[in-house]
């Protein structure tokens, strides 16, 4: 089980990423615009630097939906490898059977 504070911080980051997503996309487009001037590119670069660090989607961490485990996250299921194995063994995942021999 992950610390509650880490889970809460990651949730807060997700909110900040969503809040600044449109502005960030606009600045990124201005940065790579081939018709833009050097001044506009420089302004876009500075604008990106002025955004909060947590506005970058790279800072989000994929966590287990149940207990918040940060490592071994399976994207297709939204849970960690440990929980996936446990749930598959108990037959809680439809269509998934754990092989044992």
């Amino acid at each position: 089980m992950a610390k509650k504070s880490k889970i809460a911080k990651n949730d807060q980051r997700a909110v900040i990423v969503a809040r600044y997503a449109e502005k960030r996309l606009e600045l990124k487009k201005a940065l790579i615009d081939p018709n833009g001037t050097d001044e506009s590119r420089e302004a876009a670069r500075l604008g990106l630097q002025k955004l909060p660090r947590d506005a970058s989607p790279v800072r989000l961490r994929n966590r287990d939906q149940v207990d918040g485990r940060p490592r071994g996250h399976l994207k297709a299921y939204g849970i960690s490898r440990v929980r996936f194995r446990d749930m598959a063994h108990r037959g809680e995942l439809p269509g998934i059977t754990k092989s044992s021999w």
Side-chain angles (χ1 to χ4, degrees), residues 12-31:
Q12 182 61 32
R13 277 192 185 127
V15 169
I16 293 172
V17 165
R19 183 183 311 148
Y20 287 99
E22 189 175 321
K23 184 173 185 177
R24 196 174 167 75
L25 182 65
E26 181 182 308
L27 288 170
K28 287 265 208 183
K29 282 184 180 178
L31 195 60

Side-chain angles (χ1 to χ4, degrees), residues 41-62:
R41 280 195 211 103
E42 183 67 17
R45 186 183 64 79
L46 288 173
L48 273 174
Q49 284 182 349
K50 289 185 189 239
L51 290 178
R53 282 187 177 188
D54 285 343
S56 174
V58 173
R59 291 176 67 98
L60 284 178
R61 183 78 183 192
N62 290 326

Side-chain angles (χ1 to χ4, degrees), residues 26-83:
E26 181 182 308
L27 288 170
K28 287 265 208 183
K29 282 184 180 178
L31 195 60
I32 62 170
D33 184 22
N35 297 329
T37 63
D38 288 340
E39 291 80 22
S40 68
R41 280 195 211 103
E42 183 67 17
R45 186 183 64 79
L46 288 173
L48 273 174
Q49 284 182 349
K50 289 185 189 239
L51 290 178
R53 282 187 177 188
D54 285 343
S56 174
V58 173
R59 291 176 67 98
L60 284 178
R61 183 78 183 192
N62 290 326
R63 290 187 172 267
D64 188 325
Q65 292 295 316
V66 180
D67 65 357
R69 188 177 201 280
R71 305 237 177 170
H73 180 266
L74 300 174
K75 192 174 190 176
Y77 300 96
I79 55 178
S80 67
R81 62 178 178 80
V82 177
R83 182 151 320 272

